Amino acid sequence: MEGVGIDLLEIDRLERALARRPRLAQRLFTEAEREYAGSRAHPAMHLAARFCAKEAVAKALSLRAWDPHDVEVVGTGGPPTVRLTGAAGAAELGVDVTISLTHTGGMAAAVAVAEAS
């Protein structure tokens, strides 16, 4: 299996959604993702990039039914990686997934590439 996914999101849109629905962050992001974003000056920007990564990975893997917690963006000080579990378990799918995140101005984006392992 090989695939590419991309996603783009207005940061303010996610920020407004999180303000209206306080539990939404818990539904969409793992505790580690929320902690990482919370340690930054503009948390919504980092959460938006991670949301885009989740969507991009789902597209690259052609996932139809999945939980946002199945795709976790892991920041280790270097380039971000993803930890895949549940429906997105790449080991079971026989793929490696690489991601790239970006945010600038009012937009966040991510690209995911899935390659046969």
Side-chain angles (χ1 to χ4, degrees):
M1 167 189 259
E2 295 185 0
V4 176
I6 186 169
D7 199 63
L8 177 69
L9 177 64
E10 294 175 20
I11 297 167
D12 288 348
R13 183 176 175 198
L14 179 65
E15 197 166 32
R16 287 189 310 270
L18 292 172
R20 281 191 315 269
R21 298 169 46 197
R23 293 188 351 192
L24 182 61
Q26 293 173 344
R27 277 192 31 235
L28 296 177
F29 304 102
T30 66
E31 183 177 344
E33 289 170 324
R34 293 189 312 272
E35 286 177 9
Y36 175 85
S39 72
R40 303 296 188 222
H42 192 60
M45 179 174 65
H46 297 279
L47 290 176
R50 277 151 180 74
F51 181 81
C52 289
K54 293 168 183 282
E55 289 288 322
V57 168
K59 292 172 184 176
L61 296 176
S62 299
L63 298 178
R64 295 189 193 282
W66 60 284
D67 183 294
H69 288 210
D70 292 347
V71 179
E72 180 179 27
V73 177
V74 179
T76 59
T81 60
V82 288
R83 180 177 300 125
L84 304 171
T85 58
E92 292 80 22
L93 298 173
V95 296
D96 294 318
V97 178
T98 304
I99 61 169
S100 181
L101 311 177
T102 191
H103 37 71
T104 184
M107 302 297 288
V111 174
V113 177
E115 300 176 289
S117 53

